[in-house]
Amino acid sequence: MFYSKKYILDNGLNLICIKKDSKLISINVAIRVGALLEDKSERGISHFVEHMIFKGTKKRNNEDINSDIEKLGGEYNAYTGYDRTVYTFTGLKEEIECIIEIFSDMLQNSIFSSKEIKKEKEVILSEIRTAKDDIEDFSYQKAYYAAFDKSPLKYDTIGTEDIVNKFTRNEILSFYKKYYIPNNCNIVVASDYEPYYIYKLIKEHFGKWERKEIKKNNILMERNIPGCNYSYKKDIEQSTIIYIFTFNNLNKNQELALRILNHKLGESNNSILFKELREKRGLAYDVYTSLDLSKHVKTMCIYTAVSEENIEKTINIINNCIDKIKKKEIVFDNSTIDIMKKVLKTATAFTLEDCEDIANYVLYQSINNENIYEFIEDNKALNYIESNHIYEIANLVLNNPTIHILKRKE
C-alpha cells in the first residue's frame, strides 16, 4: 500500500504525489496526446514532437539537455503511445528539484529549430526503416493495418515515411502549441518526500505555464475486420501468424476474467499455446498472447513464428485450442484458477515494491481516469472469479479474429 495526494494547479495541471519509502525518485510527465488524436496528415507527429523536446530550448541546446540530465546519474526516457506522450526519470531522491526544472524547461520552452527538425526527420525515417527490418514489428504493422478501416490503430505511432517527410516546422510547432499545455498534462512523482514539498516544486516550475482551451478530435472505436490476410517479405526464414481480437464495453470483472484467460492461453511458459505449439510439437520458438486494456484500444493478440510449411497446421492448432476453451473441453479447475490469480496478485506486489513501476501504474490509471487504488478492488474481485466466468469471456471475445500471415517473397 502507498499514500498518495492529488493536486490540481490553477492552470489545470494534474499532479499525483506518491509517498514511498525509497532512496529513489521516479517522475513521469505525460502529455495527453498520441496516435489516436492525430489526423490522417499527422500520422507520427506526436512521436516527432517527443523527439524534438530533447533538441533545444530557449536556454539549453540539445547537448546541454542530455548532459544536464546525465549529470543527475539516473535513467531517463520518453515514449509515444496511442493516448499519451511520456517523459520519465528515475534517480537519486536528492536530484528531484534538478529534474523538475529540466523537464519544465523542455516542455514549456522548446524552440523547434529548423536545423534540428531536418536532422531529426532523418533519424525518425531511419527508425521507420529499421522497424521494417524487425520481422515481429513489421508483422504487427501489417496486421493492424489489415484489422481496421478508419481507426488510428491501423497505423503505427511512429508514422509512415511519406507523411513524416512532409512535416513542416509550422505543422510541428502548431501541434506542440495545441497539446503541450498544463491542462493537458499529468505528472506523477513517487518519492520519500512529503507530497506538499513536491507540490511546491511543481508549482514553482510549472505554475506559470499558460492554460489554453483545447478541442480534441473524437476517438473512433472500431471492431477488427474478420478475415485472413497475407503479406510478403524477401529474405525471411520463418513466417509469422498474428491474431487480433477487439472488445468493448466489458465491465471490470469481465476484464479480470480476460486477464486470467490471456495468461493461461499464451502469456506464460506453461500456457496452452506454448505447450501445444512448442512443447508438444516443436513448431515454434516464439508464441505468446498480449492484452491491451487501455481505454481506447481494447485488443488481444496471439503471435507466433513458424516455418512456411507449418502455417496451416499451426492455425488449425490455435483455432482448435480456442474452440476447446469455448466448449469447456479444456478444464479450468479451481487449482488452475488459483495459480493464475496468484500470478496476477504477485505482479501487483512487484509493481507496488518498485518506485518506477508504481509511478508508471499510477500514471496509466490517471490518464484513463481510473482509481489509482483499483488494484485493491481487483485483488478482492479475483477471489470471486470462477471457471464459468472464464468460459463466458472466451465466448465473448475470442470470435471473428483478424488473422495476418507473413510469408517469404520469392
Side-chain angles (χ1 to χ4, degrees):
M1 181 57 70
F2 57 85
Y3 172 74
S4 68
K5 178 71 175 177
K6 181 176 180 178
Y7 300 92
I8 300 179
L9 274 60
D10 290 341
N11 59 11
L13 186 148
N14 279 271
L15 169 66
I16 299 178
C17 301
I18 306 298
K19 181 79 162 63
K20 180 170 176 56
D21 184 18
S22 177
K23 293 180 180 179
L24 299 175
I25 58 101
S26 189
I27 177 170
N28 285 9
V29 181
I31 305 299
R32 298 192 298 275
V33 66
L36 288 176
L37 291 170
E38 297 168 348
D39 291 329
K40 287 183 179 180
S41 62
E42 296 175 330
R43 302 297 182 207
I45 199 167
S46 300
H47 176 254
F48 204 118
V49 171
E50 174 219 309
H51 277 234
M52 291 305 303
I53 292 297
F54 288 90
K55 296 303 172 182
T57 70
K58 294 173 184 177
K59 69 176 184 179
R60 289 180 172 94
N61 61 31
N62 64 314
E63 292 181 1
D64 292 333
I65 289 173
N66 287 306
S67 176
D68 287 353
I69 298 178
E70 282 191 357
K71 287 175 185 176
L72 305 183
E75 296 181 353
Y76 66 100
N77 200 0
Y79 65 89
T80 302
Y82 286 120
D83 60 356
R84 76 205 71 176
T85 306
V86 183
Y87 305 86
T88 70
F89 175 84
T90 298
L92 295 174
K93 58 182 286 188
E94 54 263 32
E95 306 296 352
I96 182 66
E97 185 167 5
C98 292
I99 191 60
I100 288 175
E101 187 278 323
I102 295 169
F103 274 177
S104 70
D105 184 36
M106 291 165 59
L107 293 170
Q108 297 177 70
N109 302 314
S110 286
I111 57 175
F112 295 87
S113 78
S114 297
K115 181 181 177 181
E116 291 296 338
I117 287 175
K118 184 177 180 180
K119 286 196 298 184
E120 206 57 29
K121 186 174 287 187
E122 290 304 314
V123 171
I124 292 171
L125 290 173
S126 178
E127 184 180 357
I128 292 171
R129 295 173 192 130
T130 299
K132 292 179 181 178
D133 291 333
D134 185 303
I135 300 303
E136 191 171 336
D137 284 352
F138 181 77
S139 298
Y140 271 106
Q141 287 180 17
K142 291 294 185 180
Y144 271 85
Y145 191 85
F148 299 99
D149 179 21
K150 297 178 181 178
S151 168
L153 294 177
K154 186 180 183 75
Y155 305 96
D156 193 79
T157 56
I158 62 176
T160 60
E161 288 186 68
D162 57 333
I163 293 178
V164 170
N165 247 325
K166 294 176 184 176
F167 288 155
T168 66
R169 180 179 184 273
N170 285 340
E171 288 170 337
I172 296 167
L173 191 58
S174 176
F175 191 88
Y176 163 76
K177 289 181 176 179
K178 177 179 179 179
Y179 290 105
Y180 278 65
I181 54 178
N183 44 307
N184 196 42
C185 178
N186 288 52
I187 298 178
V188 175
V189 180
S191 75
D192 192 35
Y193 290 110
E194 292 298 326
Y196 188 68
Y197 171 70
I198 302 297
Y199 163 74
K200 288 194 296 182
L201 289 178
I202 296 295
K203 185 177 181 181
E204 176 185 351
H205 293 286
F206 287 90
K208 294 181 181 179
W209 198 5
E210 184 181 354
R211 180 189 184 112
K212 297 178 184 176
E213 292 302 314
I214 183 171
K215 184 177 180 181
K216 296 184 178 182
N217 297 336
N218 293 324
I219 297 175
L220 176 66
M221 296 292 288
E222 202 175 64
R223 299 284 299 187
N224 66 285
I225 302 169
C228 191
N229 306 269
Y230 292 86
S231 297
Y232 300 87
K233 188 173 178 60
K234 291 182 178 179
D235 302 322
I236 59 173
E237 296 299 321
Q238 286 198 306
S239 297
T240 64
I241 301 169
I242 294 177
Y243 282 54
I244 298 176
F245 303 90
T246 53
F247 51 91
N248 298 311
N249 304 318
L250 298 184
N251 62 42
K252 290 297 181 182
N253 288 338
Q254 288 175 317
E255 288 191 352
L256 274 179
L258 185 58
R259 287 170 62 189
I260 292 175
L261 173 62
N262 175 67
H263 181 81
K264 188 58 181 175
L265 181 61
E267 205 176 42
S268 78
N269 289 348
N270 194 40
S271 68
I272 294 167
L273 292 177
F274 188 90
K275 287 193 291 187
E276 289 292 330
L277 293 176
R278 178 168 164 171
E279 298 296 309
K280 289 185 180 181
R281 295 175 174 85
L283 294 174
Y285 176 77
D286 285 327
V287 54
Y288 64 84
T289 60
S290 57
L291 183 64
D292 193 331
L293 294 171
S294 300
K295 186 176 181 180
H296 295 108
V297 182
K298 307 294 187 186
T299 58
M300 182 174 176
C301 299
I302 299 171
Y303 173 90
T304 192
V306 299
S307 60
E308 188 166 323
E309 62 267 24
N310 288 323
I311 290 174
E312 185 176 353
K313 182 189 294 185
T314 301
I315 288 176
N316 287 336
I317 291 168
I318 293 172
N319 290 341
N320 189 46
C321 288
I322 291 172
D323 286 341
K324 282 185 173 182
I325 292 172
K326 292 163 73 172
K327 293 175 180 176
K328 303 183 182 181
E329 293 175 14
I330 292 178
V331 177
F332 290 86
D333 57 25
N334 290 337
S335 62
T336 301
I337 294 173
D338 286 343
I339 291 170
M340 290 185 283
K341 290 176 182 178
K342 190 175 291 186
V343 167
L344 295 182
K345 289 181 179 180
T346 302
T348 299
F350 275 127
T351 297
L352 297 178
E353 288 297 317
D354 186 90
C355 201
E356 185 175 1
D357 285 350
I358 200 169
N360 289 336
Y361 166 78
V362 171
L363 180 72
Y364 174 89
Q365 292 296 105
S366 64
I367 289 286
N368 286 290
N369 295 315
E370 300 284 358
N371 180 5
I372 66 172
Y373 294 104
E374 185 176 85
F375 64 90
I376 298 174
E377 296 304 315
D378 285 351
N379 281 343
K380 291 179 182 177
L382 277 173
N383 295 322
Y384 299 98
I385 299 292
E386 298 176 349
S387 60
N388 62 297
H389 299 123
I390 298 172
Y391 295 129
E392 286 172 5
I393 205 66
N395 279 281
L396 271 175
V397 174
L398 300 182
N399 300 302
N400 303 316
T402 301
I403 302 174
H404 179 269
I405 299 167
L406 178 67
K407 300 175 71 173
R408 181 205 295 265
K409 185 176 183 180
E410 300 298 339

